[in-house]
Amino acid sequence: MHPISESRIRIFHCLALTVIGLALTVPVISSGFIKGHDVVWHMTWGRLFAEQFGSGDLYPRWLMDANAGLGSPVFYFYPPLPSYVASLLKLLLPSTWSFWYPLGLSASLGLVISGLTAYLWLRKIATANAALFAAVVYMVLPYHLRIDLYQRFAFAEFWAFAWLPLILYFTHEIASGNRKAIVGAAVSYALLVMTHLLTTLLFSPVLLCYVLWVANKGKRVSSLSLTSLAIILGAGLSAIFLFPAMTTQELVPLSTMYYITHEFFKDGFLFYGLSAESEGLKEFWRHLAQALALTVAVSCCAWFASRTRQNTRTSSEVAFWALTVALTVFMTHPLSEPVWRIIPKHGFVQFPWRILTITILATSGLLAIALSSLKKPYTYRQIIPMMLVAALIASQLVSSLKIIKLGPAEELEASRIVQIGFITPEYRPRWVPDGLYNEKSLIELGQQDKVTLLNGEGTAQVLEWNNGKIRIATHSDHGAVLKIGQFYYPGWTATLGEQQDPLSVQPNQANGLLTVKIPAGDHQISLQRVALKEEIIGRIISLFSLLILVVLRFRRD
């Protein structure tokens, strides 16, 4: 018999990972609403984003129908890539289907891609079969599958798992002397930035340490320089999102979403929550502790098994990933509090246990190397740990797929919130009074007339209202102030008539809605959103970074 070619093995393994990823996410595709912590918010934001995208708004930063039709700047600050994937999937599905299906399919695709990119990276440090098994473990470890998908429905963080191995693959190429891999590293880093900023923040130091660790002694400085350049170009490529997100935060009370005081932050250490009063919170913290224990157990088994038949290259990888597991696990424990205290702005991570994303990545690397070391004659140091790994993974996989669905009353309430389009308070435009930004008040405000004359006599009629464009026909004998049912936010402009004479747009002091002072007579008022200067700068940086990457890709060595 002829041996199977390497390319056929690779295709078979990729197909296997795709099937496994789809099978693991069948419940989230078919179950409708699941009882995930953030599922309502992602349904709300994603649906509104997809509707505006489907009607021609290529980057829907301002969601006009959010907050009972009053608008929200949520995607000025929230990474858009996962919502783009769900929006594109929505275009391929029947328009009558609930948005849950493109959202669930997007999550399924994220898991499949995470398995494929893990396999791509792990093939650099392990055999094909070892990389396949370790990639499956990367997909099914409980913090990735059970916690992030089925319990939290942390949609963006879940998608971030797809890009971490891809970045490591190109970084490994850079460390091996492939200078053109800087392009792939930059693009994959940009994908991570556009997916989840907090994971980017946690992963970036690990990336720089990794390239220093695995590069040959004579190439460490150049490899570190090229990787740093890839990070800079990746951040530049994502500047279309990143620059306005970082430079306009004073326009919303974004800090309310972060545990910016250390006292709040330390409550997120892994074992503090086990004493929570709520039974639901206790259960979640128990699952987090179990996820950590399982991951550590797999890491220890892999490390123990990998300590046979190592060469210099694999021993270096084993040491790095074992150390990474140890450090990241330590950072979830209360004993790490003094370390967190010296890190500036550490509260922006929100929860210390988010670092388990890095623990899972490191565990997969350890496991792949351990499996590669399994060669006949097998020893008990190899067989027993691997049997334990298989048993642990199988036991957790069964529990991960026990989906908790919303009850009928809970699903009805969730659907109501999604239809209202309520956006969490951290994205409240600062001109909107804090006391007004609640569900009841927003509904009452949203039910008022879209346009109203605040003073003076006259009429106002809406002619157009969609995708950041509003046209209103007005009549007033002596001039008036026109109030429009959208929240004020920089970027709104108003013009008068065919001459497009500019009008001043101001926030209403009582409720933060748009107001425009109109002259006497019959007029047509046009309002539309234009790009902020920060958006324009972001676009220029992204375009410039893209041009640099194109030159790097096609220039001769």
Side-chain angles (χ1 to χ4, degrees), residues 176-295:
S176 300
N178 182 359
R179 288 174 172 265
K180 289 194 174 182
I182 188 175
V183 177
V187 171
S188 51
Y189 191 84
L191 291 172
L192 180 62
V193 173
M194 297 280 284
T195 299
H196 198 241
L197 278 176
L198 297 180
T199 302
T200 307
L201 180 66
L202 292 170
F203 176 67
S204 297
V206 178
L207 179 62
L208 293 172
C209 292
Y210 179 71
V211 72
L212 272 176
W213 193 287
V214 300
N216 295 327
K217 286 185 178 181
K219 295 183 177 179
R220 283 177 180 167
V221 174
S222 62
S223 296
L224 180 63
S225 300
L226 289 172
T227 303
S228 300
L229 179 59
I231 289 175
I232 293 169
L233 289 173
L237 194 60
S238 64
I240 189 172
F241 152 71
L242 187 61
F243 191 81
M246 293 293 101
T247 57
T248 63
Q249 293 186 8
E250 75 281 357
L251 302 180
V252 295
L254 199 61
S255 61
T256 59
M257 76 176 292
Y258 299 117
Y259 292 165
I260 55 175
T261 68
H262 185 77
E263 293 305 310
F264 279 109
F265 178 80
K266 75 177 186 179
D267 288 339
F269 285 121
L270 206 57
F271 299 103
Y272 277 15
L274 293 174
S275 59
E277 294 181 3
S278 165
E279 190 57 40
L281 278 176
K282 280 184 180 179
E283 181 184 27
F284 173 69
W285 284 101
R286 282 196 299 270
H287 289 163
L288 266 178
Q290 290 169 9
L292 174 66
L294 174 70
T295 305

Side-chain angles (χ1 to χ4, degrees), residues 502-550:
L503 297 173
S504 175
V505 179
Q506 298 294 328
N508 183 279
Q509 296 299 316
N511 50 33
L513 294 178
L514 293 169
T515 60
V516 178
K517 189 174 182 180
I518 59 172
D522 295 318
H523 300 288
Q524 188 174 116
I525 311 298
S526 298
L527 292 97
Q528 65 176 348
R529 291 204 55 78
V530 298
L532 304 178
K533 69 177 185 298
E534 292 85 358
E535 294 179 67
I536 295 171
I537 293 171
R539 293 171 187 173
I540 293 170
I541 295 172
S542 290
L543 181 59
F544 186 65
S545 300
L546 178 62
L547 290 174
I548 292 175
L549 289 171
V550 170

Side-chain angles (χ1 to χ4, degrees), residues 419-552:
Q419 289 304 314
I420 294 169
F422 180 63
I423 304 296
T424 46
E426 61 266 23
Y427 301 112
R428 169 181 61 86
R430 66 180 176 88
W431 299 269
V432 181
D434 189 17
L436 182 69
Y437 202 84
N438 58 75
E439 189 180 317
K440 181 181 178 182
S441 299
L442 290 175
I443 292 173
E444 291 176 356
L445 194 59
Q447 288 174 342
Q448 297 178 11
D449 292 338
K450 290 286 188 183
V451 291
T452 309
L453 296 180
L454 289 182
N455 52 37
E457 296 183 355
T459 60
Q461 180 184 2
V462 175
L463 302 177
E464 181 183 4
W465 188 287
N466 61 8
N467 278 5
K469 295 180 182 179
I470 300 172
R471 287 192 304 116
I472 305 166
T474 65
H475 168 76
S476 175
D477 293 332
H478 305 290
V481 174
L482 184 66
K483 183 183 73 174
I484 298 106
Q486 280 279 291
F487 284 137
Y488 175 84
Y489 198 79
W492 279 113
T493 62
T495 55
L496 179 69
E498 294 181 358
Q499 288 75 30
Q500 299 290 297
D501 297 326
L503 297 173
S504 175
V505 179
Q506 298 294 328
N508 183 279
Q509 296 299 316
N511 50 33
L513 294 178
L514 293 169
T515 60
V516 178
K517 189 174 182 180
I518 59 172
D522 295 318
H523 300 288
Q524 188 174 116
I525 311 298
S526 298
L527 292 97
Q528 65 176 348
R529 291 204 55 78
V530 298
L532 304 178
K533 69 177 185 298
E534 292 85 358
E535 294 179 67
I536 295 171
I537 293 171
R539 293 171 187 173
I540 293 170
I541 295 172
S542 290
L543 181 59
F544 186 65
S545 300
L546 178 62
L547 290 174
I548 292 175
L549 289 171
V550 170
V551 171
L552 289 174

Side-chain angles (χ1 to χ4, degrees), residues 341-451:
R341 279 185 179 275
I342 65 176
I343 300 174
K345 300 286 186 181
H346 63 272
F348 281 82
V349 176
Q350 291 184 282
F351 316 110
W353 41 261
R354 281 188 190 273
I355 206 167
L356 288 176
T357 54
I358 312 302
T359 314
I360 289 176
L361 189 71
T363 300
S364 302
L366 274 176
L367 184 60
I369 296 170
L371 291 168
S372 293
S373 70
L374 295 179
K375 298 178 181 178
K376 294 179 181 180
Y378 301 128
T379 68
Y380 75 93
R381 290 185 62 177
Q382 298 173 322
I383 297 173
I384 294 177
M386 292 302 99
M387 290 177 65
L388 286 173
V389 167
L392 289 168
I393 295 298
S395 65
Q396 281 299 308
L397 185 56
V398 173
S399 60
S400 294
L401 298 179
K402 290 181 179 177
I403 310 307
I404 303 174
K405 283 200 63 177
L406 294 177
E410 292 174 310
E411 184 162 352
L412 188 64
E413 174 65 11
S415 298
R416 187 185 67 82
I417 294 173
V418 170
Q419 289 304 314
I420 294 169
F422 180 63
I423 304 296
T424 46
E426 61 266 23
Y427 301 112
R428 169 181 61 86
R430 66 180 176 88
W431 299 269
V432 181
D434 189 17
L436 182 69
Y437 202 84
N438 58 75
E439 189 180 317
K440 181 181 178 182
S441 299
L442 290 175
I443 292 173
E444 291 176 356
L445 194 59
Q447 288 174 342
Q448 297 178 11
D449 292 338
K450 290 286 188 183
V451 291

Side-chain angles (χ1 to χ4, degrees), residues 327-343:
L327 288 175
T328 53
V329 169
F330 171 73
M331 294 301 286
T332 68
H333 194 276
L335 290 175
S336 68
E337 184 179 343
V339 180
W340 283 108
R341 279 185 179 275
I342 65 176
I343 300 174

